[in-house]
């Protein structure tokens, strides 16, 4: 089985994407953060480094909540998306 | 207070991942994706929304009608949860997309409901997109129809509507009863509230058979004689990427313009 | 007049919430279930196996109608080194008879079915709505707030899963810590059923579970798993979040690495990925089970951390069913007594202490400490694989006895007899 990119895997999933974000980061804290756990802990890789800045997207979020727990600085504000939105597993 | 009938259709979720849309070439049919529930066609949701706004404006009783398999009751429930008052399921599976047959069954159901001043439909269903049912119902009932309406106002026994045309809007007045079709211009359909879902869950939704409403399929003739689906397929999309070079940004831009002209894009 | 107050509002339509709601609705109570997913099951994922014995108490003969994938008749445990694998394989046709020992299940389908049973029983389910807060009257929980609306209830049952907002809002649970949860990532890989049966030596609806220990987690506390479904495989890894955090490895990369391991890649050959999912699993065991009740409030399932992890068993579903059922018994009692305060609700904890739920967690209370031992994920799997390689190698050199091979390999792994003795002792206590 050929290796598959994460983007292609996420594209298989069914999402109902809300206009409201359910993830945000505190940029002031992120700027001073050294270990930047969010960059690798997220199974959907929602957090990316752009230059020196942590950027994030919420559309591919699998709603596991790992980022919220793993960020020891409390810089990630992750909540559940509004009811009815976000990931909708077909198989689960 | 007026009586409004809204026609809704349950369809495959248009928001499903593109890769999950599969066609069986043998039978020329869409293979329903496993585990993705059917939804109310978005324009039909907007039809319910339009009716609800009239209800809020001047009072109305909204009855929702659908034709489909037994699971279509969920489309009615969704509409009731949004705020519609009553709902009816006509149980009949329409193979393919015979608009005439759909409209015929809906017309019979509407005649059975008897009291109606206004019938609202979605502009077209988001699956087959034929966009004919509303007009055929109006024709069958012998009442006026305005398609693609962005605003509906009830004035006594008349309607004032804004209707979208190619390069602007038209303001029209028409008598009731009438058929109106709407799409996204009407504005976002509301999400059902929790209590809306609860009261919808507590309502009994009658299910009618074709005999109940006096539909005689032999009257309307064989579907296959009217419409024959020759081939159902997903178009192949080709994508490419070219990086336009240039010594300076200005030169690159000029080259890009040239390339776009060659490709007849500009 | 239709009631505007419920006997119970259940937050979450997973196994725990549905079990509670089903039992309550069957007893004629007014029950409301609020589920944040677009449909019940939409947000739910697990590795793959459900033990049915507890559910059978609630819905007898459920296997005749539930959307189950395969009944599990074969269990494999595989140790992985970088390239090699060593498996223990147990297969028993006796597991293939009703009521069956366990089933592979796809949660989006199964939970939807279960929620349908709950509705049939007379409860109302509102999907697509997120419970945001609790309603209070002094110290008593008197309902929930969701989508800006109030839903009053005599008792609120928090079945809102591992990230339980409500248990925290009720002041029962602390914020989760990364040492006490694992992250599971999984792919659903489609394969024709004939190929699955042939490849895994199965008859018709028989299924296999395969657990992997070793290289697949790069030494982190956790493991890999494979479950056969009707026409697909559930393949994934579970890793303790704190370890993942420390190691700086991306879970998606780890899963790709696992899929390309020689011991795995041929099992999934020819399959197409259909879904990629992730979920947290509480793994603290009894040590972190919060206070389970307060006035007008009960916590069940994952929300209460009721999951058993022993390294060989990873079971949350049975605990979810059982805790949901115990919660329902308690709410029935509260209805009878007309008293939803803690005086009645403490009965819930009593029931859980009497049942396997808290007893199993007590029995295996040392598991987590044992499973935190890195040797389990590096030294031992490698030792087993290398030892086997030594045993089966024919290279024309003089052969060694097993014991000699073991001594050499232990030396290479810097593993002393003392280590083995200590780990053996801890293991005996833990699993």
């Amino acid at each position: 089985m050929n290796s598959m990119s994460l983007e292609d895997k996420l594209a298989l999933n069914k999402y109902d994407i809300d206009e409201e974000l359910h993830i945000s980061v505190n940029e002031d804290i992120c700027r001073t953060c050294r270990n930047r756990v969010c960059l690798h802990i997220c199974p959907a890789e929602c957090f990316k480094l752009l230059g020196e800045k942590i950027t994030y997207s919420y559309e591919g979020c699998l709603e596991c909540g790992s980022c919220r727990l793993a960020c020891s600085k409390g810089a990630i504000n992750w909540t559940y998306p509004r009811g009815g939105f976000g990931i909708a597993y077909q198989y689960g | 207070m007026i009586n409004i009938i809204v026609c809704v259709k349950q369809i495959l979720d248009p928001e499903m991942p593109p890769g999950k849309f599969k066609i069986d070439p043998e039978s020329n049919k869409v293979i329903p994706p496993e585990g993705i529930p059917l939804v109310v066609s978005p324009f039909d949701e907007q039809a319910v929304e339009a009716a609800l706004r009239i209800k809020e404006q001047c009072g109305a009783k909204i009855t929702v009608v659908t034709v489909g398999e037994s699971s279509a009751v969920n489309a009615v429930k969704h509409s009731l949860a949004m705020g519609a008052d009553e709902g009816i399921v006509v149980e009949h599976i329409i193979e393919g997309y015979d608009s005439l047959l759909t409209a015929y069954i809906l017309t019979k159901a509407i005649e059975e409901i008897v009291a109606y001043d206004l019938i609202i439909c979605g502009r077209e269903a988001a699956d087959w997109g034929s966009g004919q049912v509303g007009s055929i119902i109006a024709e069958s009932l012998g009442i006026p129809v305005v398609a693609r309406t962005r605003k509906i106002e009830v004035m006594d026994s008349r309607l004032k509507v804004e209707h979208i045309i190619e390069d602007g809007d038209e303001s029209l007045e028409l008598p009731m009863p009438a058929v109106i079709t709407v799409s996204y211009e009407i504005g976002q359909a509301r999400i059902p509230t929790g209590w809306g879902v609860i009261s919808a869950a507590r309502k009994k939704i009658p299910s009618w058979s074709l005999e109940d409403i006096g539909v005689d399929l032999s009257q309307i003739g064989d579907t296959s004689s009217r419409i024959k689906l020759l081939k159902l397929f997903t178009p192949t999309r080709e994508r490419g990427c070219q990086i336009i070079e240039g010594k300076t940004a200005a030169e690159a831009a000029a080259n890009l313009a040239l390339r776009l002209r060659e490709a007849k894009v500009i | 007049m239709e009631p505007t107050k419920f006997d119970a509002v259940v937050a979450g339509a997973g196994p725990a919430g549905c079990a509670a709601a089903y039992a309550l609705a069957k007893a004629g109570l007014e029950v409301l279930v609020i589920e944040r997913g677009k449909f019940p099951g939409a947000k739910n994922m697990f590795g793959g196996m459900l033990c049915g014995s507890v559910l059978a108490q609630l819905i007898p003969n459920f296997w005749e109608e539930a959307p189950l994938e395969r009944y599990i008749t074969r269990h494999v445990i595989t140790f992985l080194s970088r390239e090699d694998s060593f498996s223990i394989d147990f297969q028993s046709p006796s597991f293939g008879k009703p009521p069956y020992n366990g089933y592979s299940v796809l949660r989006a389908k199964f939970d939807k079915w279960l929620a349908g049973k709950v509705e049939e029983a007379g409860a109302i389910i509102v999907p697509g709505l997120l419970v945001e807060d609790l309603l209070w009257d002094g110290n008593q929980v008197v309902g929930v707030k969701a989508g800006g609306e109030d839903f009053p209830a005599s008792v609120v049952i928090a079945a809102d899963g591992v990230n339980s907002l409500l248990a925290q809002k009720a002041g029962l649970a602390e914020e989760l810590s990364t040492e006490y949860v694992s992250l599971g990532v999984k792919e659903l890989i489609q394969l024709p059923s004939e190929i699955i049966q042939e490849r895994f030596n199965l008859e018709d609806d028989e299924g296999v579970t395969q657990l992997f220990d070793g290289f697949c987690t790069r030494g982190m506390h956790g493991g890999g798993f494979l479950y056969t479904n009707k026409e697909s495989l559930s393949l994934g890894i579970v890793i303790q979040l704190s370890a993942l955090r420390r190691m700086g490895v991306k879970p998606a990369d780890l899963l790709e690495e696992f899929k390309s391991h020689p011991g795995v890649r041929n099992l999934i050959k020819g399959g197409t990925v259909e879904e990629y999912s992730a979920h947290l699993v509480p793994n603290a065991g009894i040590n972190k089970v919060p206070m389970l009740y307060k006035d007008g409030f009960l916590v069940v399932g994952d929300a209460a951390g009721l999951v058993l992890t022993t390294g060989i068993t990873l079971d949350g579903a049975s605990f979810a069913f059982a805790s949901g059922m115990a919660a329902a018994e308690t709410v029935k009692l509260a209805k009878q007594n007309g008293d939803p305060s803690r005086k009645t609700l403490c009965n819930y904890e009593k029931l859980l202490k009497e049942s396997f739920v808290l007893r199993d967690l007590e029995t295996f209370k040392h598991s987590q400490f044992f499973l935190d031992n890195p040797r389990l994920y590096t030294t031992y799997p490698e030792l087993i694989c290398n030892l086997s390689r030594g045993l089966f190698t024919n290279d024309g050199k003089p052969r060694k006895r097993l014991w000699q091979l073991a001594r050499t390999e232990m030396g290479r792994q810097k593993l002393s007899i003392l280590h083995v003795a200590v780990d053996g002792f801890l293991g005996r206590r833990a699993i």
Side-chain angles (χ1 to χ4, degrees), chain C residues 157-319:
Chain C
I157 300 177
D160 54 339
V162 54
N163 289 299
S164 178
L165 183 72
L166 297 185
Q168 282 182 36
K169 292 252 182 198
L172 297 183
E174 301 162 24
E175 179 68 283
L176 285 166
S177 154
T178 52
E179 298 114 75
Y180 301 127
V181 285
S182 297
L183 172 64
V185 289
K186 161 174 144 174
E187 277 178 19
L188 194 288
I189 300 171
Q190 220 153 51
L191 264 182
S193 54
E194 314 85 69
I195 293 187
I196 293 177
Q197 278 144 232
E198 229 163 81
R199 195 172 284 179
F200 293 94
N201 189 26
L202 305 166
E203 304 271 348
D204 306 329
D205 292 333
E206 289 180 350
V208 60
T209 77
Q210 190 167 0
L211 302 178
F212 297 86
D213 172 40
F215 190 74
C216 56
T217 63
R218 293 203 203 162
M220 288 181 279
H221 175 170
F225 60 83
L226 180 149
Y227 296 88
T228 52
N229 306 310
K230 268 200 185 90
E231 294 183 310
S232 62
L233 306 175
S234 293
L235 183 89
I237 44 173
V238 189
I239 294 165
Q240 194 185 48
L241 199 58
S242 57
L244 203 55
R245 194 179 176 284
R246 255 192 327 269
M247 278 284 280
V249 193
K250 292 180 176 173
D253 293 349
L254 217 50
L255 183 54
E256 278 303 311
E257 200 175 276
F258 178 44
K259 284 167 66 182
S260 65
H261 191 281
V264 177
R265 68 173 174 234
N266 285 321
L267 298 176
I268 58 173
K269 197 165 129 187
T272 35
V273 181
E274 285 287 320
E275 186 168 84
Y276 174 64
S277 54
H279 214 282
L280 290 179
V281 200
N283 65 12
I286 194 88
N287 311 309
K288 284 284 161 183
V289 170
M291 183 74 180
L292 293 164
Y293 61 92
K294 71 181 293 163
D295 297 310
F297 189 80
L298 296 169
V299 200
V300 296
D302 273 13
L306 300 174
V307 175
L308 179 68
T309 326
T310 68
I312 292 166
T313 308
L314 177 61
D315 186 4
S318 304
F319 289 73

Side-chain angles (χ1 to χ4, degrees), chain A residues 4 10 12 15 20 22 27-30 58-59 90:
Chain A
M4 207 176 161
L10 293 174
L12 298 169
Y15 292 96
E20 280 176 29
H22 69 277
E27 287 184 23
D28 291 334
I29 300 177
C30 295
Y58 66 99
E59 292 88 345
Q90 265 179 281

